[in-house]
Amino acid sequence: MQESRLSIGVADPEDSTDLRDFYRWLDNEEEPPGTVRLASEPVAGSMSGGLDVIDVVLTHAVGLANLTVAYATWRKARRSRAALTFTRASDGLTVTVREGSEEAVQQLLRAFSEPGRPEDG
């Protein structure tokens, strides 16, 4: 598997606390999905910084599966209502997930299992 980069954000900036909570959850995973860091994306026209995003670099085939299982487990444990957006860096494919059901996890796996356009550089 070639390296794959995903950004995870929130659909509503009011839910950034949930995003940071999910980051801590991923960071404490026994078998993390890959390299995980919390970053800030600039917001156009804003002088006050940006929105938090989770930057995930998947380096092995089970990384995506580990990420989706961690997501589902976190949703069930926290009962979060935040809609999270998962975006693949190579081609901008974005999937918004509002729940941690098996169907939502399968949607993530199907969407990101297909190879994207190779990243530049």
Side-chain angles (χ1 to χ4, degrees):
M1 171 186 184
Q2 80 179 40
E3 183 177 283
S4 180
R5 187 175 222 105
L6 295 175
S7 291
I8 305 167
V10 287
D12 180 355
E14 302 273 324
D15 294 327
S16 63
T17 300
D18 286 333
L19 183 72
R20 287 189 294 275
D21 185 57
F22 183 48
Y23 165 73
R24 284 189 294 278
W25 185 277
L26 287 174
D27 198 40
N28 288 318
E29 280 288 294
E30 205 169 292
E31 293 184 40
T35 305
V36 178
R37 71 180 184 92
L38 190 62
S40 185
E41 282 188 346
V43 175
S46 173
M47 299 291 283
S48 63
L51 296 174
D52 288 338
V53 294
I54 300 170
D55 187 37
V56 181
V57 178
L58 304 173
T59 56
H60 50 84
V62 275
L64 179 60
N66 288 350
L67 176 63
T68 57
V69 168
Y71 168 75
T73 305
W74 171 76
R75 288 301 288 241
K76 289 175 185 164
R78 297 293 193 261
R79 300 287 184 212
S80 169
R81 300 226 182 260
L84 297 185
T85 59
F86 293 73
T87 303
R88 185 166 49 200
S90 64
D91 61 1
L93 174 68
T94 299
V95 176
T96 299
V97 187
R98 300 181 193 307
E99 58 178 286
S101 69
E102 186 175 333
E103 293 83 27
V105 170
Q106 290 301 321
Q107 176 189 12
L108 280 173
L109 278 172
R110 277 191 307 275
F112 294 115
S113 291
E114 293 297 318
R117 189 180 73 240
E119 293 188 48
D120 295 332

